[in-house]
Amino acid sequence: MAETAQADTGEAGAGKQPRSVRVVLLALMIAMMLAMLDNMIIGTAMPTIVGELGGLEHLSWVVTAYTLATAASTPLWGKLGDMYGRKGSFMTSIVIFLAGSALSGMAQDMGQLIGFRAVQGLGAGGLMVGVMAIIGDLIPPRERGKYQGMMAGVMALAMIGGPLVGGTITDHWGWRWSFYINLPLGAIALVAVSAVLHLPKKRSQARIDYLGAALLTIGITAIVLVTTWGGTEYAWTSARIMELTGIGVAALVGFVFWQTRAAEPIVPLHIFRSRNFTLMSVIGFIVGFVMFGATLFLPLYQQSVQGASATNSGLLLLPMLGAMLVTSMVAGRVTTNTGRYKIFPVLGGALMTVGLFLLSTMDTDTTRFTSGLYMAVVGLGMGCLMQITMLVAQNSVEMKDMGVASSSTTLFRTLGSSFGVAIMGALFNHRVQDVMAERAGALGSKVTESSAQLDAASLAKLPEAAREAYQHAVSSGTHGAFLLGAAVAVLALVASVFVKEVPLKGAGPQAADAPAGGEDGASAKTPVTGAV
C-alpha cells in the first residue's frame, strides 16, 4: 500500500494523475454538484409543489429545513472523517442524501416534505466536506490548484443550469423528479467511490463529543433562524428574534468553552492558532456573504428594471460566473506552477470590492452590457478567492485535522451566505418600501406591504406609474445592498494583506526546497495517506 501511494504521488508530481484518481475525482465532482444543484432546482419547482401539496404558509421551511440541517451537520461530518476514515463517512453522507431525495419525492404533504428535506440536508452537509477533505488526502497542496477550475466549473454549472434544469424537469416530468434526478447521479458517485477509492481505515478509541455537537447544533440553528426570520417572519427587535439570538450566543460561547476541555473536540481550537487558517475563515465568510447576496439581487434587478425574462434567470449571471470560472482556472495553474498564492486573495479582495461598488451605481438607465461588465469584475474577484481559501486553510493544518479544517471553512462560508442574504435582503426590502411610499404614495405602500419583491406577472399588472416607481425602488434597493457588499468586501481585502505565504508542499520545481513544517508548526507533508 505504501509503495502504491508513493507511485501515485510520483505520477501526480509529474502532472499526470492515474486513471483511478481521475475516476474518483469525477465521482467527487458529481457529489459536489448534487449538493450545490439541489436548492437551485427546487427553487424553480416550488410553485408547482405548493400547488399540489398546499401549505403555502410553510413554504420557506422547505428551504430552511435543508439549510439548517446542512449547516449544523457540516462540522460533525468533518470530525467523523478525521476519526473514523474519510471514505466511510463520505459514502454514508451520500446514502443519507439519496434517501432524503427519494423520500422527498414521495412526500404526500408539506409536513412530510419539510421533514424529508431535513434528512436530505443532513447528507448534504457531508458531501461538500467529504469532497474537499478527500481531495486534500489525495492531492498535494502544490498540485491542488489545478483542480480549482474543475470545482469552479461545477459551481458555475449548478448556478446557471439549476433553474433551467428545474424548470424543464417540472414542466415535463413533474416536480417529484426534481428530487428523483439525484438518485442515478448519486448512485454513480457511490459506486465509483466504493470501487476505486482506497484510503487507510481509521478507528479512533476516543468517543464522539456529543455535548460539543449538541451545543454547536443549537448555536448554528439559532443563528440561521435569526438570519432567516429576522425582518420577514418577525421584526428584528421582536421577542422571538431576541430569544433566538440569546440562545445562539449562549450555546456558541458554551461550545467554545467546552472545546478547550473535550478529549476529542468537534472543532479543535488549536487550528485557529494558525494566522492563515483564521484569515481564510474570515475571507470565506465574506465570500459567502457577497456571492449569495449577488446571485439573489442581480436577477431581480435585471428582471424588474431591465425587463429580462425570469425563465432564463440563471443565464443572467453568466458574465459573473464565466469570469469566476476562468480566473479560478488561471489562479490554480499559476499556484501549481509557482507555489505562490498570496497575490490572489489580495487581487480578489480588490476586484470584488470594486465590482460591488460598480454594481451599486446601477440605475434604471443602466444597460445590460454595462451591468454585465460590472458582474464580470465581481466574478474575477470571486474566482481569485473561491478555491484559494480552501487550499490555504488545508495547507495551514496537520493532516489529522484535514476534515475539521475543510468543514470549518465550509461552515463559515455557509454562515456568511445566511448573513448576506438576511442583512442585504433586509436593507433591500426597507429601501424598496420607502421609495415606493415616496413615489407612489398609498398605492406604493399597498403594492409592497406583503413583500418588496414582485414576480414578472405581478409587475405587469401594475399601473404604469406604480411600475415605474417600483423600478426606481428596486434600483435604489440594489444600490444599498451592493454598497453594503462593497463595504464588507473591503474586510476581505484587509484580511488578505495579512496572509503569510507559506510554501505549498508537493510536486514542482520548488517542492524540494520547501520547509518540512507548515505554518506555526503545522505539518505540511505531502497529504497522500493512501492509494487509489
Side-chain angles (χ1 to χ4, degrees), residues 260-284:
T260 63
R261 287 158 174 74
E264 194 67 46
I266 296 292
V267 180
L269 299 184
H270 67 79
I271 62 177
F272 291 98
R273 294 174 188 164
S274 164
R275 182 173 73 187
N276 276 5
F277 182 83
T278 302
L279 290 173
M280 288 304 113
S281 298
V282 172
I283 294 172

Side-chain angles (χ1 to χ4, degrees), residues 117-204:
R117 284 282 284 167
V119 174
Q120 198 181 16
L122 286 175
L127 295 183
M128 287 292 288
V129 174
V131 169
M132 297 300 180
I134 290 173
I135 288 177
D137 273 354
L138 295 178
I139 312 296
R142 181 70 176 271
E143 293 295 310
R144 231 170 278 162
K146 292 192 297 187
Y147 302 95
Q148 289 182 45
M150 186 187 299
M151 289 183 279
V154 169
M155 184 175 297
L157 180 64
M159 290 184 173
I160 295 173
L164 298 176
V165 172
T168 301
I169 290 176
T170 303
D171 290 341
H172 293 88
W173 297 350
W175 67 266
R176 296 183 186 276
W177 276 97
S178 297
F179 297 103
Y180 293 151
I181 195 67
N182 294 329
L183 302 181
L185 292 175
I188 292 172
L190 194 62
V191 170
V193 169
S194 175
V196 183
L197 178 63
H198 302 290
L199 295 173
K201 294 182 179 180
K202 302 177 183 178
R203 185 65 189 177
S204 174

Side-chain angles (χ1 to χ4, degrees), residues 44 195 356 387 478:
T44 310
L356 287 164
Q387 304 304 331
T478 52

